[in-house]
Amino acid sequence: MAAPTKEVKEIMSDKITNVMTETRRFEPPADFSKKARVPAKEAYEKLYRESLDDPDTFWKRETADLVFDKAWKKTLEWELPHARWFIGATLNVTKSCLDRHLGTPTENKAALVWESEPGDSTTLSYGELHQQVVEFAAALENLGVKKGDRVAIYMGMVPEVVVGMLACARIGAPHTVVFGGFAAESLRDRINDCEAKLVLTQDGAPRRGKPVALKETVDAAVEHTPCVEKVVVFRRMPDLEITMKEGRDVDWYDAVGQAGSNRQPEPEAFDAEHPLFILYTSGSTGKPKGILHTSAGYLVGTHVSTKYVFDLQDDDVYWCTADVGWITGHSYIVYGPLSNGATCVLYEGAPNFPDWGRFWELIDKHRVTILYTAPTAIRAFVKAGDEWVDKASLASLRLLGTVGEPINPDAWMWYRDKIGKGRCPIVDTWWQTETGSILMTTLPGATYSKPGSTGLPMFGVEPDVVTSEGESADANEGGRFIMKRPWPSMLRTIWGDDERFRQQYWSEVEGAYFTGDGARRDEDGYYWVVGRIDDVLNVSGHRIGTAEIESTLVSHSSVAEAAAVGRPHDIKGQALIVFVTLKPGHAPTPELRTTLKTHVAKEIGKFAAPDGIRFADALPKTRSGKIMRRLLKQVAAGEKTEGDVSTLEDLSVLAKLRDEDE
Ligand code: WT7
């Protein structure tokens, strides 16, 4: 076991005192429970016990509506740290999402209700979505994509991105969706890391009324990606000028047309552990990790959690506001809801376009019943003012969800009162890119919620909080948040780097999966996640590795050293502040500060641009040369520097940093 560092303890205790005082609890409304899939605490407990004690029976029953070509022979094989689920099963994930609905009333039900940023909407039924996926799968095959080949997707929030993902899944070609906010360099690195053969993109995507030039970014990225053979371009904004490179670039519908009658209505069945997709996320080194998810386990995890956490009923209109470029979009816009035959709203634009009333108008327009969004969005809405909410009725809503970071009880209460009108339960769902599906939550008809707490474990999930000594923590004692057994939708490895997979997740606490988060469990068994305790920040719900920011800054010719830290921010959750020392011959000017912010935006993406850059003559270091981030965090937050500074090389360094501008 890794030696407990003093720093972790200090970070934990700081964070924990902030959320120790919340004691309110909210029972599920009686009329909600009456119709709910899991109507009472006892029912949840019974299912939960069964999921741990008799997983074979539990998973068999709960997946009866999914399509397996061959049933599994064994539920789990666990050879630490590798788990394989549903051994011997074969399936095509898209059959559960699409084909199984054909010939049932769901065939004509809306699968996707798309709302464009300019404000028009179109609907794709399950039948239509199936047709498009079958056609596009044929197009991919016709372009030479084979089972196992990787396909990168760099698109906006249009129905075609869902078609693209499912078409990849249909032919067994793992997709890697790259969020449209990433810059060319980030896109290039991800394409190269997984050696994608093909890129799916679109000309541009409207964002706050202006086009984001996605194709142009792809052009820049694929100049340095020898693996890419073809780029398929969906024309979303035909007036936007783009260049199509002869021999490489293909129009989306030309590709479909060229494939012609090559359609295979019956898709191939793949092994349960066949890779479904890779999704890159940040960790504690400069290099993003390609999180690998496989077919059966991921489908089962997202299917079962969507059904129970959102208490899905046939007439629900479900809206998850995440971008498909993140795991929330994968699991809770695409695979989870579609495998349940749900109607999903897909919104293309910004939450504040044309104004802060857009979300609430959209809920009324499409009669949304379930809203799943992020604390950072909720806090931004609080700040924008209640008048935007008051213009809408919101009478269709029956359930609210949050995800992405700890939600502060004030924002939670606002969400409950202003959006849910006190009538809708809130599910605060904790999970990660790595976990694939929701692992912690309350069930809306069964268990009471506490503002700020993520609640209880989902089925098959065995969490714990352990102290620095590796022991299970007492009630309300903080510690590392871990999972003691594998769950179906867990990551299988890091693409191309199994050693990092072991190191990152399985070496901190023996025999367990370490989440990277700190948490406490209260006297009722409710979990309170306090945030990351590793070198990862959560800025507006985006996971940002401090090392990535630092290495990007150091790649600039003027920068000698950089140290990135988070500072509490009332909307973003955390703001990104970087301390920078310059190479000789460079002056710390406001212009250089702007240049460096732009440099990060250009290299990684706008969402990662530092909120503040402080120039320093030197960074506080221990005698062994380690940067003392704890101190920098306190300096950035304008707090007194507390704790042990006895190992600090030069105390005067600190005093200077305090007076710096950003
Ligand atoms: C990290 C995972 C999973 C989808 C979005 C983010 C934080 C996530 C919660 C929550 C407290 C949360 C954790 C986690 N987080 N949900 N309900 N309460 N913290 O995915 O980028 O993989 O980040 O987000 O710190 O480790 P991600």
Side-chain angles (χ1 to χ4, degrees), residues 364-422:
D364 282 359
K365 177 173 171 185
H366 298 294
R367 308 212 44 79
V368 171
T369 59
I370 303 169
L371 175 68
Y372 189 33
T373 194
T376 184
I378 297 168
R379 290 191 298 261
F381 287 124
V382 173
K383 185 147 184 236
D386 290 358
E387 64 267 29
W388 298 108
V389 182
D390 293 339
K391 287 184 189 161
S393 116
L394 305 183
S396 55
L397 286 174
R398 67 178 197 97
L399 174 60
L400 305 174
T402 82
V403 59
E405 56 182 306
I407 183 165
N408 45 311
D410 288 350
W412 195 99
M413 288 305 297
W414 183 89
Y415 197 31
R416 181 178 192 276
D417 294 341
K418 282 314 284 189
I419 307 305
K421 314 289 181 199

Side-chain angles (χ1 to χ4, degrees), residues 87 332 360:
I87 318 289
Y332 296 109
W360 322 125

Side-chain angles (χ1 to χ4, degrees), residues 67-73 86-92 269-272:
V67 186
F68 289 94
D69 290 71
K70 264 198 222 144
W72 65 80
K73 294 200 187 75
F86 311 122
I87 318 289
T90 64
L91 76 162
N92 186 295
F270 305 108
D271 184 79

Side-chain angles (χ1 to χ4, degrees), residues 281 327-328 402-406 428-434 454 515 517 529 531-532 538 541 543:
T281 190
I327 190 69
T328 309
T402 82
V403 59
E405 56 182 306
D428 177 345
T429 63
W430 179 95
W431 57 296
Q432 310 179 293
T433 305
E434 292 87 340
T454 185
T515 64
D517 281 2
V529 172
R532 309 285 312 193
N538 190 327
R543 193 201 288 202

Side-chain angles (χ1 to χ4, degrees), residues 279-291:
L279 183 61
Y280 285 86
T281 190
S282 296
S284 48
T285 75
K287 193 172 173 284
K289 310 178 275 194
I291 302 301

Side-chain angles (χ1 to χ4, degrees), residues 522-578:
D522 70 17
E523 56 286 349
D524 300 316
Y526 274 55
Y527 283 74
W528 300 73
V529 172
V530 288
R532 309 285 312 193
I533 50 180
D534 53 9
D535 292 328
V536 171
L537 304 178
N538 190 327
V539 178
S540 299
H542 298 311
R543 193 201 288 202
I544 298 176
T546 53
E548 260 172 278
I549 301 292
E550 289 160 6
S551 65
T552 302
L553 279 167
V554 172
S555 76
H556 191 269
S557 56
S558 66
V559 175
E561 253 188 330
V565 298
R567 172 170 69 202
H569 186 280
D570 59 359
I571 291 176
K572 295 175 159 200
Q574 283 186 301
L576 172 61
I577 309 298
V578 194

Side-chain angles (χ1 to χ4, degrees), residues 443-481:
L443 289 188
T447 41
Y448 60 83
S449 42
K450 304 185 182 196
S453 164
T454 185
L456 303 164
M458 264 307 279
F459 306 132
V461 174
E462 197 185 355
D464 199 3
V465 175
V466 295
T467 63
S468 315
E469 288 73 39
E471 274 143 34
S472 199
D474 293 336
N476 292 318
E477 188 189 2
R480 291 168 173 76
F481 187 36

